Structures are given as structure tokens and as C-alpha cells.
């Protein structure tokens, strides 16, 4: 009986190993295809912009100066609370006719536009009103960043085949972590530079997101 078990288990284990090797080779081949690399770069850029926008605004909020009439605690609380409607709005819009692609693109572009407008508001408006306008635009930008993050997690799950889905999610997270490393510089860099850089990156990422295919309502690729 033991000999029969050994004879039965041996070939099966070899077949499993062969299948595993075949799966690895298939995944590597798919990851290196031009169409896959193109989507990885576009998804990674969306992750990078979402991370920079999200965490960069958090660090920038720490620069709230009480001597200018800014309530640091209220500003920090609002900057955090605005994430909740951002997540909810992003989740709801992704299942409407807008779909994942347009929701992600509009979230990034609107968030970037708000930050660019804050830079213009500081220059064009009087100090008595610019503070309120800038705070409002910053909160809208943070809401858009939270909405964009929802789509950033959906894209790797729905655009890539099962064999490379986990790897694609890892690549997206790599771009996001790069943004997280850069984001603390927003606490020390000049405010105008932070607004221009974060706004421009988000705007460009929103435009490039339009190059991705729509995945709403489609079966997951095998």
C-alpha cells in the first residue's frame, strides 16, 4: 500500500511543480507585454498623484499659522473628516455611467485644479478673503484625492488578468509609496511651490488616466 501511495503521489507532485512553473512563466510574459507595461505606468501615475495629493495636503495642513487667524485644530479636523465623503462619493460615482475611468480622471483633474487655483487666489485676492477661499479649495482638493484613491485600488483589480493581478497591485503600491516618501516635503517647502507641484502632477495624471480602458460592468480578465 505504501509503495502504491508513493507511486501515486510522486508524479502528481511533479505535475503540480510543472504547473506552478508554467504559471510563473505566463505571469512574467504577461507583465512584460507592451500593453501591460503601458497600463502599469498609467495606473502607477494615478497612484502616485493620488498619494501626493492626499498625504501632501495632510502635511501642508500642519503649516496653518495661528497668527494669521488659522485655527490649526479645526483645519486638521476638517482635512481629515473630508475624506469620508470623498471615499463615499468615489465609490458611488464609479458605479454610475461615469464609470471608473472618468471618475478617477475627474477626481484627479478637479483636485489638481483646486490646488492651482489656491496659488492664484493667494496672489489675486486680498488677505481678508484669500484665507477662506484657499481653505475651501484645499478641502475640495483633499476630497478629490480620497475619491481618486478609491479608483486607484479598483484599476489593478479590474484591468489585469488573474495571473498578474497581485503583481500589478504591488506595482501600483510602489508608485504610491514613492508619493508617500515625497509628501512630507510639503511641510517645509514654500506654500506656492507645493500648490503648483501637487496641482500640476494631479492634473497630468488625470489626463493620462483617460488613456486607460473602462472596466465597469466587464468580466474580470483571466
Amino acid at each position: 500500500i505504501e509503495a502504491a501511495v508513493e507511486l501515486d503521489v510522486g508524479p502528481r507532485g511533479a505535475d503540480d511543480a510543472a504547473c506552478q512553473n508554467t504559471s510563473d512563466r505566463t505571469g512574467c510574459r504577461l507583465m512584460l507585454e507592451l500593453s501591460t507595461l503601458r497600463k502599469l505606468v498609467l495606473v502607477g501615475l494615478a497612484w502616485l498623484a493620488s498619494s501626493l495629493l492626499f498625504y501632501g495636503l495632510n502635511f501642508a495642513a500642519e503649516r496653518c499659522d495661528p497668527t494669521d487667524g488659522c485655527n490649526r485644530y479645526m483645519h486638521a479636523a476638517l482635512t481629515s473628516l473630508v475624506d469620508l465623503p470623498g471615499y463615499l462619493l468615489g465609490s458611488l460615482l464609479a458605479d454610475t455611467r461615469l464609470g471608473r475611468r472618468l471618475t478617477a480622471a475627474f477626481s484627479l483633474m478637479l483636485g489638481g485644479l483646486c490646488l492651482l487655483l489656491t496659488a492664484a487666489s493667494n496672489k489675486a485676492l486680498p488677505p481678508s478673503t484669500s484665507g477662506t477661499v484657499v481653505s475651501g479649495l484645499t478641502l475640495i482638493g483633499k476630497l478629490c484625492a480620497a475619491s481618486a484613491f478609491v479608483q486607484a485600488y479598483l484599476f489593478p483589480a479590474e484591468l489585469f488578468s488573474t495571473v498578474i493581478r497581485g503583481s500589478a497591485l504591488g506595482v501600483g503600491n510602489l508608485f504610491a509609496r514613492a508619493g508617500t516618501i515625497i509628501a512630507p516635503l510639503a511641510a517645509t517647502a514654500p506654500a506656492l511651490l507645493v500648490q503648483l507641484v501637487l496641482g500640476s502632477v494631479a492634473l497630468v495624471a488625470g489626463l493620462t488616466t483617460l488613456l486607460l480602458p473602462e472596466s465597469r460592468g466587464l468580466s474580470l480578465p483571466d
Side-chain angles (χ1 to χ4, degrees), residues 9-201:
V9 171
R12 184 178 303 172
D15 290 342
D16 291 342
C19 291
Q20 181 66 34
N21 293 333
T22 302
S23 177
D24 291 342
R25 288 196 298 269
T26 301
C28 292
R29 187 173 65 252
L30 287 175
M31 287 290 288
L32 295 176
E33 287 183 356
L34 186 60
S35 59
T36 303
L37 292 175
R38 175 178 172 273
K39 287 190 288 186
L40 281 174
V41 171
L42 294 176
V43 169
L45 184 58
W47 274 78
L48 175 65
S50 300
S51 180
L52 273 176
L53 198 61
F54 189 90
Y55 294 109
L57 289 174
N58 277 343
F59 281 103
E62 298 298 324
R63 303 177 56 168
C64 178
D65 191 355
T67 60
D68 293 334
C70 179
N71 188 325
R72 180 174 297 174
Y73 302 103
M74 181 63 71
H75 191 61
L78 291 176
T79 305
S80 300
L81 289 174
V82 77
D83 294 343
L84 297 177
Y87 292 138
L88 181 61
L89 186 64
S91 301
L92 294 176
L93 289 178
D95 286 328
T96 64
R97 290 185 178 180
L98 283 178
R100 281 81 159 114
R101 183 184 60 176
L102 290 180
T103 301
F106 288 158
S107 296
L108 288 170
M109 286 191 289
L110 181 57
L113 183 62
C114 286
L115 286 185
L116 294 177
L117 288 176
T118 58
S121 300
N122 283 325
K123 298 294 184 181
L125 298 177
S128 58
T129 58
S130 63
T132 303
V133 173
V134 167
S135 296
L137 290 173
T138 301
L139 291 176
I140 296 175
K142 186 68 188 303
L143 182 145
C144 292
S147 173
F149 244 130
V150 174
Q151 317 312 318
Y153 274 97
L154 284 175
F155 272 131
E158 297 182 347
L159 290 181
F160 300 98
S161 60
T162 304
V163 179
I164 61 172
R165 189 168 295 136
S167 300
L169 183 60
V171 172
N173 268 288
L174 179 64
F175 278 86
R177 297 293 77 79
T180 306
I181 293 172
I182 301 172
L185 297 177
T188 56
L192 180 61
L193 180 62
V194 172
Q195 293 160 357
L196 291 177
V197 171
L198 296 186
S200 299
V201 171

